[in-house]
């Protein structure tokens, strides 16, 4: 085993787990296979993450933190935030696949709950700031749910191969996100 020469083994294990999730899906990840691919002892992933659920939870937290950084950069423009969401998902398919599988994750992880809630809060607040002000009914997050459904659905459909992958996914995402119908400030 040559893997222990890594400078940061937990980070390397998470990168390898993300690659596995993108390639095979998160359900297929095992600690034993991760150790084999990472060229470390079978106990190394257990030492750092405890269980498969611990590993996947750490991977999801890492993904949400990175996604939140991306979303935060677009707080003033819900349309560009939506495009950034889709682009981020396409660039990080392994993280994305794990982040949205709550049955595989530890729901009691405060880091996970905080990071996931932050993503929703960023989206919700940005939608609220961009929503039309003359709505006849008080919005209780409907626009945020619609925005999330559009960007999450688009990314998921492309990543799963259910829709043809466009030549320029950013341009196509921009066209789709503009269908939200929210007024620009």
């Amino acid at each position: 085993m040559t893997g222990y020469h890594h400078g940061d083994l937990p980070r390397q294990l998470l990168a390898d787990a993300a690659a596995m999730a993108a390639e095979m899906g998160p359900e297929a990840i095992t600690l034993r296979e991760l150790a084999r691919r990472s060229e470390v002892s079978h106990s190394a992933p257990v030492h750092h993450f405890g269980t498969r659920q611990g590993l996947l939870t750490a991977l999801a937290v890492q993904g949400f933190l990175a996604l939140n950084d991306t979303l935060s950069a677009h707080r003033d423009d819900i349309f560009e935030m939506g495009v950034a969401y889709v682009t981020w998902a396409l660039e990080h398919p392994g993280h994305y696949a794990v982040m949205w599988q709550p049955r595989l994750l530890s729901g009691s992880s405060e880091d996970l709950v905080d990071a996931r809630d932050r993503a929703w809060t960023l989206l919700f607040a940005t939608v609220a700031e961009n929503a039309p002000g003359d709505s006849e009914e008080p919005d209780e997050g409907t626009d945020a749910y619609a925005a999330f459904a559009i960007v999450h659905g688009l990314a998921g459909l492309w990543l799963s191969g259910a829709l043809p992958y466009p030549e320029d996914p950013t341009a196509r995402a921009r066209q789709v996100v503009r269908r939200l119908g929210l007024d620009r400030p």
Side-chain angles (χ1 to χ4, degrees), residues 45-132:
V46 173
H47 173 74
H48 290 289
F49 301 105
T51 64
R52 176 177 174 267
Q53 185 181 50
L55 167 74
L56 295 176
T57 299
L59 187 60
V61 169
Q62 185 183 57
F64 276 114
L65 293 174
L67 176 62
N68 291 341
D69 287 346
T70 297
L71 297 179
S72 292
H74 301 282
R75 293 178 72 126
D76 297 331
D77 188 333
I78 189 59
F79 301 104
E80 287 306 311
M81 182 183 276
V83 172
Y85 181 98
V86 173
T87 303
W88 185 91
L90 298 177
E91 292 172 353
H92 302 89
H95 286 91
Y96 187 79
V98 171
M99 292 162 58
W100 305 109
Q101 298 296 325
R103 71 186 185 290
L104 301 178
L105 307 174
S106 173
S108 64
S109 166
E110 288 182 28
D111 289 341
L112 176 62
V113 171
D114 290 346
R116 184 180 50 220
D117 288 352
R118 175 86 173 121
W120 174 249
T121 299
L122 282 164
L123 178 67
F124 189 90
T126 303
V127 167
E129 292 167 10
N130 284 267

Side-chain angles (χ1 to χ4, degrees), residues 86 90 153-166 168-170 172-173:
V86 173
L90 298 177
L154 184 60
L157 289 167
W158 280 339
L159 287 170
S160 71
L163 283 180
Y165 198 85
D168 185 349
T170 301
R172 177 64 67 182

